[in-house]
Amino acid sequence: MAVLVPYAEMRDMARPMAARYGYLSPMCIEYAETCRVQSRARELERQGCELIVARGLQATLARQVVKIPIVEIRVTSQEIGMLALDLKGELEEPCPRIGLVGFSNALSDAASFHGLFGVKLPRYMAESQEELSRFVDKARQEGCHAVIGGEVVCQRARELGLPCRFIPCGRESLEDAFRMASQVGYAIDLEKSSRAEMDTMLSYTFTGIVQLDSRGTVLRANRMAFNMLGLAPGDMLGSAIADVLPELPRSLFDQALHEGKETYAIHVPLHKLAVIVNIAPILVDNAIHGAILTFQEGERVEEMSGEFRRDLYQQGYFARLRFSQLPQESAESKRLIAMAKRVAGCSAPLLLSGEPGCGKAMIAQCIHNESLVRDNAFVPLDCAAFQEDTLDTMLFGNYTSRQSGTLCLAETAQNGTLYLSHIDALSPELQYKVLDLARGRLRHNGSHPLMASNARVIASCDGNLFAKVQEGEFRSDLYYELSALHLRLEPLRRRREDILGWVDMYLEEYQRKHKRYVALTQEARAYLTGYSWPGNLNQLRGLCQRVVLLADKRHVNDLFLRQQLEQRDPEPRADAGPPVYQDQEARRLAELLIKHKGSRQAVAEELGISKTTLWRRMKRLGLGGE
């Protein structure tokens, strides 16, 4: 505590008085000139002062430049009352009007004096020392018989011939100030103790914690946060969180600081470490006063060597697409991509489902490129494209005849992503091995021990995989392992706002490839938006290539598009029944699928072939696809 007083007499009175308050520890008790009180207050704060006791204008000035508490020395009502009664006796007025001139923070309330003592005490409260003399003049003009105030007030009153009384350096006011300082000091010590306990707790937790103010500036952080972010306290405290953590979208901070929304378990890559971030707003009486960020350490990302990565690129084991490249104008696409970005940060298995041609393989690539293993292998495999034995060897190797240095696909995908399309085409035996892989265990073929696996499995299917579980065609344990995270892609006809974006993307691809350039008329673009696209992106992409290759003039209208679609993809009417296929084998397979309500197992049994062979035929005839 420091005590600053405007009169030397107050200093002498305060020194022995402060000694009786042993709880307080005075740094100094001194007389301070008003013109120097701000510089002195700053100096005291730098020296570790935690509380200043001051009077009137000096208290106001000190409060403007320091952040520590200021306890004000107020003239007590008893002291004012004694002066008012003394003046009343001198004035010999039955109810004199006496002006009380000074600073509001130095004077106690005197509203009840009229009823108690028969004295009217109008208050003239100044905000600066220069106003005091002017208020004495005003008090006289308003009919005051006398004034009460400090040295400046009494000097002006004497110049005007106005009776006055000087407010003394009262013992009662100092006693009150010290009692208040004692209470404030007790609260400061409690807060210091609480802060020390909190700091100790935060310093020994393995969770990084950062406190933000309402503008997103870092106020506090614990040791773990500095370590995880790789920043020194001086580089972090006082900085905008958007600069400290640019990997996290700014919109998440805005939601917390402006809307009071909580963000839970966002994965952020920091220095090859998967960090899980939570953001919670600080609410006081439903008003947002800032936010708390917590960081928890997740999985450490292992990078492949540069040489191995080059080999993978040469073999095509990398993902080309990113979310920013995909059209996403529709609400359905925005919802899907937001959820896909959320699951990209973890390594749990993922199931993608939707009609053929919805873009499941594209989403799988984008998820890999959004993930923490984006620099490692992305290994795609179509489970319907190969015989069972071939698939088994490709995925899990053949360790009885394996050549040195040859890796199976499950090994190639280590610390990366293994994408299995048409997962329902796998035999029960291979489903079991994929289940092991999804659970972090790699089971090679041949006499080879079970080993740990760190490949993320993303699987996709065109139909209802749960229906196949119910029919006994797919293992329930693998289904539940994969579908813990499940993203369903809507067909193109349910996200029409995206259609023109896909059209432009594919037209640009084929124009660049074939060096032929076309432009769609407004009618053509409207026709494409209204078309139902039963073949989804497969059909749309094929049409775009056809348009680029076959258009006989630069501007393509809706009539030309209609002709191309009717020649290659006749769109069935609502009452026309199933599509009519020109190929006899395709027509036969389509009829059997309708007969058996989509059960490929039943169709394969009727034809006397394996389900894998059926899949290959359907794919060749255009009855299925990604």
Side-chain angles (χ1 to χ4, degrees), residues 277-290:
V277 180
N278 301 301
I279 307 175
I282 301 172
L283 300 176
V284 180
D285 294 332
N286 293 323
I288 303 170
H289 284 246

Side-chain angles (χ1 to χ4, degrees), residues 355 491-493 496 499 503 527-537 539-541 543 565 571:
E355 292 182 5
L492 200 54
R493 61 184 175 275
R496 294 188 181 277
I499 290 175
V503 169
Y527 174 72
L528 293 174
T529 303
Y531 187 71
S532 64
W533 301 108
N536 292 297
L537 293 176
Q539 183 185 15
L540 187 147
R541 182 171 188 162
L543 174 69
L565 283 169
E571 183 178 14

Side-chain angles (χ1 to χ4, degrees), residues 68-241:
I68 58 179
I70 305 293
V71 173
E72 297 165 345
I73 303 172
R74 288 179 175 268
V75 180
T76 65
S77 298
Q78 178 181 346
E79 291 169 332
I80 295 174
M82 296 294 292
L83 296 174
L85 288 176
D86 187 33
L87 275 171
K88 182 179 180 181
E90 177 183 328
L91 295 170
E92 298 182 352
E93 290 281 344
C95 186
R97 184 179 179 88
I98 302 173
L100 193 58
V101 184
F103 300 100
S104 60
N105 62 337
L107 300 173
S108 299
D109 183 32
S112 60
F113 278 30
H114 184 201
L116 290 173
F117 306 118
V119 176
K120 293 182 180 179
L121 282 177
R123 291 162 60 93
Y124 298 89
M125 298 295 101
E127 295 184 0
S128 67
Q129 194 166 6
E130 292 74 20
E131 289 182 318
L132 293 174
S133 295
R134 184 165 55 85
F135 278 143
V136 175
D137 296 344
K138 184 178 180 181
R140 184 185 183 191
Q141 293 169 6
E142 292 180 353
C144 287
H145 302 97
V147 293
I148 296 174
E151 185 176 338
V152 174
V153 172
C154 291
Q155 181 179 345
R156 180 57 179 164
R158 286 191 288 269
E159 292 173 359
L160 297 174
L162 193 64
C164 62
R165 288 292 184 274
F166 175 74
I167 297 177
C169 310
R171 183 174 299 276
E172 293 85 358
S173 57
L174 277 172
E175 288 279 5
D176 284 352
F178 282 130
R179 279 194 291 269
M180 177 61 70
S182 180
Q183 295 173 8
V184 174
Y186 177 69
I188 290 173
D189 279 355
L190 282 180
E191 195 274 338
K192 285 167 60 179
S193 175
S194 176
R195 179 183 288 267
E197 293 171 0
M198 183 63 67
D199 287 344
T200 301
M201 181 176 68
L202 296 181
S203 296
Y204 285 89
T205 182
F206 291 99
T207 297
I209 301 174
V210 174
Q211 179 185 352
L212 307 180
D213 66 11
S214 58
R215 295 174 299 177
T217 302
V218 178
L219 295 180
R220 297 176 66 193
N222 68 343
R223 174 185 54 82
M224 197 65 182
F226 294 131
N227 292 343
M228 294 175 74
L229 295 174
L231 294 172
D235 296 329
M236 189 168 166
L237 300 179
S239 301
I241 188 63

Side-chain angles (χ1 to χ4, degrees), residues 225-256:
F226 294 131
N227 292 343
M228 294 175 74
L229 295 174
L231 294 172
D235 296 329
M236 189 168 166
L237 300 179
S239 301
I241 188 63
D243 297 332
V244 171
L245 196 59
E247 296 86 354
L248 207 58
R250 178 62 184 267
S251 59
L252 298 179
F253 300 124
D254 292 339
Q255 288 175 4

